[in-house]
């Protein structure tokens, strides 16, 4: 998880639900350097301050493990990547096909989806730069990611009779 400093070493997650936060997370998502592996002997010769810093880095490493390439994540990747590519080139104003990912809590649905979408955005930006190398980055209609979610119409609840 990419984090942005907010003073005294406390960190808050990048706000991926806003364009600037998403862009910060997307650019830095693979920039975390895990703690180096140390033997017990190496750890014991460290000063108390070095141990404390190292232990914090290890905790951050465990909280930021890379996504695993599981059969389910590969299947979601294939489906979502195909939908993103298809929908990106669709010019008609009709509704675009989507994907619903369900499952229990803490199973990696959000992180997997964000990684797939970020990888698509990276390739989309590279393609755009290859085709239009002199276009100024930041052009709103080309560079701001947008998610469109269509929900079913709700039926009006019948009026209660007293």
């Amino acid at each position: 998880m990419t984090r942005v400093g907010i003073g005294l070493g406390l960190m808050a997650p990048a706000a991926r639900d806003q364009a600037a936060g998403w862009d910060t997370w997307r650019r830095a998502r693979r920039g975390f350097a895990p703690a180096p592996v140390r033997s017990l002997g190496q750890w014991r010769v460290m000063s108390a301050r070095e141990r404390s810093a190292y232990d914090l880095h290890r905790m951050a490493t465990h909280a930021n493990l890379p996504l695993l390439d599981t059969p389910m994540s590969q299947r979601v990747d294939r489906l979502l990547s195909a939908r993103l590519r298809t929908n990106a080139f669709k010019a008609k104003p009709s509704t675009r096909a989507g994907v619903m990912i369900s499952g229990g809590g803490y199973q990696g649905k959000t992180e997997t989806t964000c990684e797939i979408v970020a990888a698509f955005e990276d390739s989309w930006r590279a393609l755009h730069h290859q085709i239009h190398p002199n276009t100024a980055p930041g052009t709103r209609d080309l560079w701001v990611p947008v998610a469109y979610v269509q929900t079913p119409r709700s039926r009006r609840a019948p009026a209660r009779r007293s």
Side-chain angles (χ1 to χ4, degrees), residues 46-54:
M46 291 178 172
S47 69
R49 184 178 186 156
E50 290 172 326
R51 280 188 211 162
S52 179
Y54 178 73

Side-chain angles (χ1 to χ4, degrees), residues 12-122:
R16 292 187 294 196
D17 60 345
Q18 299 171 10
W22 169 261
D23 196 53
T24 298
W25 178 84
R26 182 186 60 80
R27 290 172 187 256
R29 72 188 188 276
R30 295 188 185 128
F32 179 76
V37 176
R38 303 268 191 248
S39 69
L40 181 58
Q42 291 171 318
W43 183 82
R44 283 187 175 152
V45 297
M46 291 178 172
S47 69
R49 184 178 186 156
E50 290 172 326
R51 280 188 211 162
S52 179
Y54 178 73
D55 290 344
L56 283 172
H57 195 175
R58 282 187 56 217
M59 285 190 285
T61 298
H62 290 267
N64 291 285
L65 294 171
L67 291 171
L68 297 176
D69 215 11
T70 64
M72 183 56 75
S73 68
Q74 291 171 351
R75 188 171 177 194
V76 170
D77 187 358
R78 280 192 304 272
L79 175 62
L80 189 52
S81 295
R83 291 283 166 90
L84 286 166
R85 282 190 307 273
T86 301
N87 290 342
F89 291 105
K90 193 172 182 180
K92 296 187 285 182
S94 59
T95 302
R96 285 151 169 79
V99 176
M100 181 179 287
I101 302 171
S102 62
Y106 300 101
Q107 307 240 328
K109 298 177 299 295
T110 300
E111 294 305 314
T112 299
T113 301
C114 286
E115 178 57 40
I116 293 165
V117 173
F120 172 79
E121 185 176 344
D122 290 345

